[in-house]
Amino acid sequence: MTTEALKFISDEIKSVGINYEFGEWSDSPVPDPYFIGEYIETPSLSESGLQEATFILTGTGRSSRLLLEKAKEEVERLFDPVSGKTAILPNGNGLAVFYSDTMTVPVDDAELKRIQINLQIKEWKVT
């Protein structure tokens, strides 16, 4: 996944008012809730330049599980599971981002609530 794809995803998530950073939260104070992104690439065997990845968006909050669910609904609307969100990136690559699924994540701290939202990423690299 290219840095241009990561920036596109970041800009889209932030555009709907979700507190988001890639990798780890670096600002203080930490908002409630906040979301962290990471990804897992799939080996590319395509001659078309297609690279696929699962983008994992993990939300953590203290106040309410409902706030995490509302953020999930925003992400699902943003990256519709059928039509997705597409773009031609500044580097010329094509990108398609689709909502895939969500799961609640158990946490040892009773005050914390956590949710994991998975997005499917398809990026066609221009060579």
Side-chain angles (χ1 to χ4, degrees):
M1 179 174 288
T2 63
T3 56
E4 288 87 350
L6 292 172
K7 182 177 182 335
F8 175 83
I9 294 167
S10 174
D11 291 346
E12 290 296 316
I13 292 170
K14 289 177 180 178
S15 77
V16 294
I18 293 174
N19 298 310
Y20 167 80
E21 284 195 28
F22 181 73
E24 64 183 341
W25 195 264
S26 61
D27 289 340
S28 184
V30 176
D32 182 22
Y34 68 95
F35 286 79
I36 302 296
E38 58 189 323
Y39 65 90
I40 302 168
E41 288 182 331
T42 306
S44 178
L45 303 174
S46 172
E47 293 179 12
S48 69
L50 174 63
Q51 175 68 57
E52 295 185 82
T54 299
F55 190 86
I56 303 162
L57 186 60
T58 304
T60 304
R62 289 189 177 277
S63 59
S64 164
R65 195 170 298 279
L66 185 59
L67 290 175
L68 295 171
E69 289 294 330
K70 286 181 180 180
K72 182 216 53 142
E73 290 173 358
E74 286 294 324
V75 171
E76 187 174 3
R77 269 193 291 278
L78 186 62
F79 302 112
D80 183 83
V82 176
S83 59
K85 172 118 356 185
T86 60
I88 301 298
L89 301 174
N91 62 6
N93 290 358
L95 183 70
V97 183
F98 301 89
Y99 170 85
S100 177
D101 55 60
T102 297
M103 62 185 250
T104 57
V105 178
V107 182
D108 289 338
D109 185 336
E111 291 183 23
L112 294 178
K113 287 92 176 140
R114 190 164 286 150
I115 193 168
Q116 177 180 315
I117 303 167
N118 297 318
L119 305 174
Q120 289 307 118
I121 311 297
K122 296 178 183 279
E123 184 175 5
W124 290 266
K125 294 184 179 180
V126 177
T127 54

